[in-house]
Amino acid sequence: MGQIGNVGIPESVNLRTEYAYIRNKIVPIYDANVNIMTQAFLFGTAIHEGLRGYYNTEKNQLYVFRMKDHYERMCRNAKILKMDGYKTVDELCEISKSLLQKNAFKDDCYMRSIMYKSAIQYGLLLENCNDFAAFCVLQKRFQDDIDTSINVGVSSWQRIEDNMIPARAKINGAYVNSCLAMTEALDNGFDDAIFLNASGKISEGSGMNIFIIKNNVVYTPLGTDSILEGITRDTIITILEKELNLKCETRSIDRTELYMADEIFLVGTAVEIIGVKSVDRRIIGRNNVITNKLKEIYFNIVRGNNPKYFNWLYPVY
Ligand code: PMP
């Protein structure tokens, strides 16, 4: 293993990026490090956002999807860890734009932004000592084929509750919950996990929100069912109502409703929209008819091919 910078990342690893942002400046990725005594490293006291950039070759433009909404969520969540006011939404958008420009990306990419407790301290107090860091990597979409769908299993791990670590806050440390569920699912031969919450109701996937369809009505769990209130979830609700004239009800969902659904799909910035083939090895009703329609409309919007939704796009160049 070659020593690069002071982190020892193997030279063979293609990081798909050159620059990152940390401590108020853009630096080479190998210099974007935190000290092991940093509170966020020790306890996960940080919140993050994952954003996607879509490159439109005809327009020579990179669009970040709903960047403002992501940073509005981050700034609201910041209150929970006493980081509110550290940066404004506009400042976070400007930083992100500069970082993407510096990397000169002309392809699809994914950006991870982190607001974290930067104090060098191993105590538990949430001190008013914060930093913002971000990196972006070239990343193609996960699904090449519109028909891609996955097998999921209900997890033996329960979703964290609001009075433990709030799921709606995208707190870094909370993602141990997701790592355990996702790993268990793969170990059991599934592609991903579905969490139940403390009341035994459906919460969400390891890193995505869930929708089910029964008799042409779409359902998704409540914001109070221990979910992250996703930007994609909101996008899908809008598309369902405005483009497909389908009602979306937000209400608690039972596990067995999954088994009997006509369609199930999962949504999130990273995974985009993905259909579910089976739950706990029970085949789901029919062939993703509405899910595939949604995908088509969504991919057109995010790539900047639907003028009706241009206000959701943040041009980088
Ligand atoms: N739930 C969880 C647990 C997540 O981590 C994410 C984001 N990856 C989502 C849902 C989807 O949120 P968004 O659509 O805002 O990316």
Side-chain angles (χ1 to χ4, degrees):
M1 187 168 84
Q3 186 82 8
I4 306 170
N6 61 358
V7 279
I9 298 173
E11 279 168 56
S12 57
V13 173
N14 177 5
L15 294 178
R16 293 169 290 143
T17 189
E18 276 190 74
Y19 297 98
Y21 184 92
I22 192 164
R23 290 181 279 274
N24 295 313
K25 57 177 198 285
I26 293 175
V27 298
I29 185 70
Y30 295 107
D31 297 330
N33 307 315
V34 292
N35 189 278
I36 58 166
M37 288 180 74
T38 307
Q39 198 201 37
F41 173 74
L42 295 171
F43 302 124
T45 47
I47 52 178
H48 67 275
E49 283 295 327
L51 304 94
R52 248 186 203 279
Y54 292 88
Y55 195 69
N56 185 314
T57 34
E58 285 90 59
K59 296 180 185 162
N60 281 328
Q61 185 58 269
L62 178 65
Y63 294 113
V64 180
F65 189 58
R66 299 190 68 171
M67 176 136 84
K68 273 196 148 196
D69 296 310
H70 276 280
Y71 287 132
E72 265 163 24
R73 180 170 69 187
M74 177 175 256
C75 288
R76 268 199 307 271
N77 286 344
K79 258 190 173 170
I80 297 172
L81 292 188
K82 298 197 159 205
M83 297 195 281
D84 45 318
Y86 172 60
K87 289 262 190 274
T88 65
V89 171
D90 286 343
E91 283 168 342
L92 295 172
C93 289
E94 275 304 311
I95 291 169
S96 305
K97 183 167 92 174
S98 308
L99 180 61
L100 287 161
Q101 285 176 348
K102 180 78 178 170
N103 276 290
F105 284 166
K106 298 248 155 142
D107 211 337
D108 293 354
C109 58
Y110 181 80
M111 180 169 217
R112 181 56 64 89
S113 306
I114 309 134
M115 197 180 279
Y116 69 100
K117 287 289 171 191
S118 56
I120 298 295
Q121 65 124 321
Y122 47 88
L124 295 175
L125 181 70
L126 293 171
E127 277 184 38
N128 189 19
C129 186
N130 312 306
D131 189 28
F132 175 78
F135 63 87
C136 43
V137 290
L138 286 171
Q139 184 177 291
K140 285 278 170 211
R141 287 169 35 202
F142 284 168
Q143 319 164 46
D144 294 331
D145 184 352
I146 194 116
D147 276 329
T148 308
S149 58
I150 60 171
N151 300 303
V152 300
V154 172
S155 186
S156 72
W157 296 97
Q158 186 187 297
R159 189 70 178 130
I160 41 174
E161 284 291 292
D162 195 64
N163 59 357
M164 299 171 179
I165 307 175
R168 67 161 53 79
K170 231 167 156 42
I171 292 173
N172 286 31
Y175 278 72
V176 172
N177 188 225
S178 292
C179 295
L180 289 170
M182 163 83 165
T183 306
E184 178 196 58
L186 294 189
D187 286 349
N188 289 340
F190 298 116
D191 299 309
D192 216 312
I194 304 296
F195 277 116
L196 303 181
N197 63 23
S199 311
K201 302 293 180 187
I202 300 297
S203 162
E204 58 184 337
S206 62
M208 50 265 186
N209 293 118
I210 187 166
F211 287 80
I212 69 168
I213 307 175
K214 187 84 200 280
N215 296 332
N216 279 333
V217 182
V218 187
Y219 303 91
T220 195
L222 294 163
T224 47
D225 275 333
S226 293
I227 65 163
L228 177 77
E229 289 171 281
I231 309 281
T232 321
R233 173 180 178 270
D234 178 75
T235 304
I236 294 303
I237 292 172
T238 307
I239 297 176
L240 281 167
E241 288 175 359
K242 296 232 156 71
E243 303 297 323
L244 295 178
N245 210 16
L246 280 173
K247 215 168 131 216
C248 181
E249 275 184 36
T250 47
R251 67 150 171 84
S252 294
I253 296 172
D254 286 329
R255 178 178 188 160
T256 48
E257 288 187 272
L258 299 188
Y259 299 166
M260 296 187 293
D262 295 329
E263 287 183 50
I264 301 177
F265 57 92
L266 300 165
V267 308
T269 299
V271 77
E272 302 173 311
I273 304 167
I274 195 149
V276 171
K277 242 187 306 206
S278 73
V279 179
D280 295 339
R281 309 198 196 283
R282 288 154 175 91
I283 303 294
I284 299 309
R286 68 176 182 217
N287 287 332
N288 296 322
V289 182
I290 295 171
T291 307
N292 288 348
K293 271 191 207 157
L294 272 171
K295 284 186 189 179
E296 244 182 86
I297 299 169
Y298 182 82
F299 295 140
N300 248 326
I301 292 175
V302 295
R303 200 166 294 284
N305 292 326
N306 186 341
K308 226 167 120 182
Y309 295 95
F310 276 173
N311 61 331
W312 274 344
L313 311 178
Y314 192 105
V316 168
Y317 299 114

